[in-house]
Amino acid sequence: MVYPGQGLLLKGFFANGTECSYERPFLVIENNGSILKALNVSSVKGKSHKLLYPSNKNLNPFKPPFLEPSFVKLDELYEMELFPNLQKAIVDKGNILDSTLFSKIISDFKSYSSSNSVPVVTYSKTAIEQRNPILIEAKTSFL
């Protein structure tokens, strides 16, 4: 099971459609049983000026589940088809973000998205598996 407040590490594409060639962290904000909603997480390292943007919120404390100082981007929403092997992408042994900070991020996202256009990036199971082969279920064949 993937829970709100957990982090995921996945390759995918950005809201502008460009491919991301490396695994990106995401903060799960909702799980409705078939779709996960998540926000893009980025490292603060070398980008502390981006904390001044109203669309970016500092994750402090960031650990758990993220390993380095980070911020969450409120200006893109990622919806991912939920499937069992997606659990393999969970970071930090499934530990979740501080509950007070998580509630603040949810509130900030709702406020930001009510007054700004937020593109939704949809990841199907197939698209996730194509970019993240480790998540493909092993098939057993019998001779």
Side-chain angles (χ1 to χ4, degrees), residues 2-4 6 19 25 28 34 36 48 69-70 76 81-82 91 109 111 113 116 143:
V2 181
Y3 296 100
Q6 289 181 320
E19 188 82 23
V28 177
S34 61
L36 289 182
S48 58
S70 304
E76 301 171 347
E81 185 177 352
L82 187 58
V91 298
F109 177 70
S111 177
S113 61
N116 295 277
L143 299 176

Coordinates of all heavy atoms in Angstrom, one line a residue, residues 2-4 6 19 25 28 34 36 48 69-70 76 81-82 91 109 111 113 116 143:
V2 N 0.5 2.2 -0.7 CA 1.2 3.5 -0.8 C 0.3 4.5 0.0 O -0.9 4.7 -0.3 CB 1.4 4.0 -2.2 CG1 2.2 5.3 -2.2 CG2 2.2 2.9 -3.0
Y3 N 0.9 5.2 0.9 CA 0.1 6.1 1.8 C 0.5 7.6 1.5 O 1.6 7.9 1.2 CB 0.4 5.8 3.3 CG -0.1 4.4 3.7 CD1 0.8 3.4 3.7 CD2 -1.4 4.2 3.9 CE1 0.4 2.1 4.1 CE2 -1.8 2.9 4.3 CZ -0.9 1.9 4.4 OH -1.4 0.6 4.7
P4 N -0.5 8.5 1.7 CA -0.2 9.9 1.7 C 0.9 10.3 2.7 O 0.9 9.7 3.8 CB -1.5 10.6 2.0 CG -2.6 9.6 1.6 CD -1.9 8.2 1.9
Q6 N 4.1 9.6 2.1 CA 5.2 8.9 1.7 C 5.9 9.5 0.4 O 5.2 10.2 -0.3 CB 4.9 7.4 1.3 CG 4.5 6.6 2.6 CD 4.2 5.2 2.2 OE1 3.5 4.9 1.2 NE2 4.6 4.2 3.1
E19 N 11.1 14.6 -21.2 CA 11.4 13.3 -20.5 C 12.5 13.7 -19.4 O 13.4 14.5 -19.6 CB 12.1 12.3 -21.5 CG 12.3 11.0 -20.9 CD 11.1 10.1 -20.9 OE1 10.1 10.3 -21.7 OE2 11.0 9.2 -20.1
P25 N 12.1 12.5 -7.0 CA 11.2 12.2 -5.8 C 9.9 12.9 -6.0 O 9.7 14.0 -6.6 CB 12.0 12.8 -4.7 CG 12.9 13.8 -5.3 CD 13.1 13.4 -6.7
V28 N 3.5 11.8 -2.1 CA 2.2 11.3 -2.3 C 1.2 12.2 -1.4 O 1.5 12.3 -0.2 CB 2.0 9.8 -1.9 CG1 0.6 9.4 -2.1 CG2 3.0 9.0 -2.8
S34 N -7.2 3.7 -6.6 CA -6.9 3.4 -8.0 C -5.9 4.4 -8.6 O -5.2 4.1 -9.5 CB -8.1 3.3 -8.8 OG -8.8 4.5 -8.9
L36 N -3.0 7.5 -7.5 CA -2.2 8.3 -6.5 C -2.1 9.7 -7.1 O -1.9 9.9 -8.3 CB -0.8 7.8 -6.4 CG -0.6 6.5 -5.7 CD1 0.9 6.2 -5.7 CD2 -1.1 6.4 -4.3
S48 N 18.3 27.4 -3.7 CA 17.6 28.0 -2.6 C 16.8 29.2 -3.0 O 15.7 29.5 -2.3 CB 18.5 28.3 -1.4 OG 19.5 29.2 -1.9
P69 N 17.8 18.3 2.1 CA 16.9 19.4 2.2 C 16.2 19.6 0.9 O 16.8 19.5 -0.2 CB 17.8 20.6 2.5 CG 19.0 20.0 3.2 CD 19.1 18.6 2.6
S70 N 14.8 19.7 0.9 CA 14.0 19.7 -0.3 C 12.9 20.7 -0.2 O 12.5 21.2 0.9 CB 13.4 18.2 -0.4 OG 14.4 17.3 -0.5
E76 N 2.4 21.7 -10.2 CA 2.2 20.6 -11.1 C 1.7 19.4 -10.2 O 2.2 19.2 -9.1 CB 3.5 20.1 -11.7 CG 4.3 21.1 -12.5 CD 5.7 20.6 -12.9 OE1 6.2 19.6 -12.3 OE2 6.2 21.2 -13.8
E81 N -1.5 5.9 -12.0 CA -2.3 4.7 -11.8 C -1.6 3.8 -10.8 O -0.4 3.6 -10.8 CB -2.3 3.9 -13.2 CG -3.2 2.7 -13.1 CD -3.3 2.0 -14.5 OE1 -2.8 2.6 -15.5 OE2 -3.9 0.9 -14.5
L82 N -2.4 3.4 -9.8 CA -1.9 2.6 -8.7 C -1.9 1.1 -9.1 O -2.8 0.6 -9.7 CB -2.8 2.8 -7.5 CG -2.4 2.2 -6.2 CD1 -1.0 2.7 -5.7 CD2 -3.4 2.5 -5.1
V91 N 10.3 5.4 -0.9 CA 11.6 5.7 -0.3 C 11.6 5.7 1.2 O 10.5 5.7 1.8 CB 12.1 7.1 -0.8 CG1 12.3 7.2 -2.3 CG2 11.2 8.3 -0.3
F109 N -1.3 23.6 -1.1 CA -1.7 23.1 -2.5 C -3.1 23.5 -2.8 O -3.3 24.0 -4.0 CB -1.4 21.6 -2.6 CG -1.9 21.1 -4.0 CD1 -1.1 21.5 -5.1 CD2 -3.0 20.4 -4.1 CE1 -1.5 21.0 -6.4 CE2 -3.4 19.9 -5.4 CZ -2.6 20.3 -6.5
S111 N -4.9 26.0 -1.7 CA -4.9 27.4 -1.8 C -4.3 27.8 -3.2 O -4.9 28.6 -3.9 CB -4.2 28.1 -0.7 OG -4.1 29.5 -0.8
S113 N -3.8 26.0 -5.9 CA -4.5 25.5 -7.1 C -5.9 26.2 -7.2 O -6.4 26.2 -8.3 CB -4.7 24.0 -7.0 OG -5.4 23.6 -5.9
N116 N -4.6 29.4 -9.2 CA -3.6 29.3 -10.3 C -4.0 28.0 -11.1 O -4.5 27.0 -10.5 CB -2.2 29.1 -9.7 CG -1.7 30.3 -9.0 OD1 -1.2 31.2 -9.6 ND2 -1.8 30.3 -7.7
L143 N 7.7 -24.8 -18.2 CA 8.0 -25.5 -19.5 C 7.1 -26.8 -19.6 O 6.7 -27.4 -18.7 CB 9.5 -25.9 -19.5 CG 10.5 -24.8 -19.5 CD1 11.9 -25.3 -19.5 CD2 10.3 -23.9 -20.8

